[in-house]
């Protein structure tokens, strides 16, 4: 099974001591760490009322969205979850996906705040997976939003096992119809319906372009460049 997790208020809930400990564990220079933490912890906020700033709010956790430094710092927090998952796999508590017997085992895929965790759809591995996610949430402040988290099962998993895993994990949304990194999680069924969003995006952009005073040559160049980029993305 594959579990696509959704983190509640991902950027706002990053604990500063946890972020600092991660950088220390990675062996980064202490002077450099102090500079980074000064950038993170020096933030303060005020509230604009009728165009005037009031109040002084000093946060004690979280990193600012749209800050050029924030995405890199946010990615660092995944190192803790990677360590927890790999440690569980080394202890034979979790089993990643192997495409051949002697191949590399893959138990997770990460991209920014998108997390996809894979293991066997058994009761024991479900228990261990939820324990790993819970441990990570306690140390990092990154709590999993179970209502937006989805699980996708293999074709040979019986309904009783599916129901037990859903009830134990609290993840009742079954994946396959949702997207991961802008693409459908499951590619079965009608490809026309699955990838229909590409046509809709292209049509919406064409409508915008045709409203502009472009020559036919200009429209053709725009159409070809965006149409090629969409399916590659």
């Amino acid at each position: 099974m594959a579990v696509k997790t959704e983190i509640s208020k991902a950027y706002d809930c990053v604990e500063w001591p946890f972020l600092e400990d991660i950088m220390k564990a990675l062996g980064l220079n202490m002077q450099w760490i102090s500079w980074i933490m000064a950038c993170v912890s020096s933030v303060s906020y005020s509230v604009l009322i009728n165009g005037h700033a009031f109040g002084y709010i000093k946060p004690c956790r979280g990193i600012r969205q749209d800050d050029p430094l924030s995405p890199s710092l946010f990615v660092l927090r995944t190192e803790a979850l990677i360590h927890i998952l790999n440690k569980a796999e080394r202890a034979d508590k979790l089993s990643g996906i192997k495409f051949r017997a002697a191949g590399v085992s893959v138990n997770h895929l990460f991209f920014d705040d998108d997390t996809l965790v894979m293991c066997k759809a058994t009761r024991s591995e479900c228990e261990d997976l939820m324990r790993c996610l819970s441990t990570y949430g306690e140390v990092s402040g990154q709590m999993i939003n179970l209502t937006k988290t989805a699980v996708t099962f293999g074709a040979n998993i019986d309904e009783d096992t599916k129901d037990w895993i859903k009830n134990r994990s609290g993840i009742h949304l079954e994946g396959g119809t949702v997207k991961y990194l802008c693409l459908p999680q499951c590619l079965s069924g009608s490809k026309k319906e699955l990838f229909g969003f590409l046509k809709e995006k292209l049509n919406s952009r064409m409508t915008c372009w045709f409203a502009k005073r472009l020559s036919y040559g200009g429209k053709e160049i725009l159409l070809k460049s965006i149409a090629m980029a969409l399916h590659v993305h």
Side-chain angles (χ1 to χ4, degrees), residues 15-231:
E15 298 287 350
W16 291 347
F18 167 74
L19 183 61
E20 185 174 4
D21 290 342
I22 283 291
M23 290 190 284
K24 290 179 181 178
L26 292 174
L28 301 181
N29 184 273
M30 289 303 300
Q31 180 66 51
W32 190 86
I33 294 175
S34 67
W35 291 340
I36 296 299
M37 293 309 300
C39 293
V40 172
S41 59
S42 60
V43 63
S44 61
Y45 302 98
S46 296
V47 180
L48 284 178
I49 302 176
N50 296 328
H52 299 282
F54 292 91
Y56 178 79
I57 302 171
K58 181 67 176 176
C60 58
R61 67 176 183 178
I63 51 180
R64 289 165 284 185
Q65 297 195 33
D66 300 325
D67 188 305
L69 189 62
S70 294
S72 298
L73 295 177
F74 187 77
V75 168
L76 285 179
R77 61 97 177 127
T78 61
E79 293 295 331
L81 183 54
I82 291 172
H83 173 74
I84 292 172
L85 293 173
N86 288 340
K87 184 177 179 181
E89 185 172 7
R90 289 194 297 269
D92 294 327
K93 295 180 179 180
L94 291 179
S95 303
I97 291 178
K98 285 188 176 182
F99 296 97
R100 59 191 182 95
V104 176
S105 176
V106 180
N107 59 33
H108 64 268
L109 293 173
F110 292 152
F111 182 82
D112 199 10
D113 61 339
D114 284 312
T115 304
L116 193 68
V117 185
M118 292 153 285
C119 65
K120 288 184 178 179
T122 62
R123 298 189 178 192
S124 60
E125 294 211 6
C126 174
E127 293 275 6
D128 288 311
L129 175 59
M130 298 311 298
R131 191 177 298 113
C132 289
L133 295 177
S134 176
T135 300
Y136 171 69
E138 290 174 1
V139 299
S140 69
Q142 302 281 281
M143 304 306 295
I144 305 300
N145 187 343
L146 296 178
T147 59
K148 293 184 178 180
T149 298
V151 57
T152 302
F153 295 100
N156 298 324
I157 307 302
D158 60 85
E159 293 298 325
D160 290 340
T161 302
K162 290 182 181 180
D163 291 339
W164 189 92
I165 290 175
K166 288 179 182 179
N167 291 329
R168 167 61 186 88
S169 64
I171 305 171
H172 298 285
L173 179 62
E174 190 164 348
T177 58
V178 294
K179 295 178 182 177
Y180 178 70
L181 299 182
C182 301
L183 290 175
Q185 288 186 8
C186 180
L187 298 179
S188 61
S190 172
K191 302 299 186 293
K192 184 177 180 180
E193 294 181 2
L194 285 174
F195 294 100
F197 68 94
L198 292 176
K199 183 178 178 181
E200 293 174 3
K201 282 188 176 181
L202 188 57
N203 285 338
S204 65
R205 297 191 182 190
M206 285 176 60
T207 304
C208 178
W209 296 335
F210 276 89
K212 299 178 181 178
R213 298 184 178 275
L214 292 176
S215 65
Y216 282 105
K219 293 173 184 177
E220 182 181 0
I221 292 173
L222 280 172
L223 178 61
K224 287 182 177 179
S225 62
I226 298 301
M228 291 178 65
L230 273 174
H231 76 271

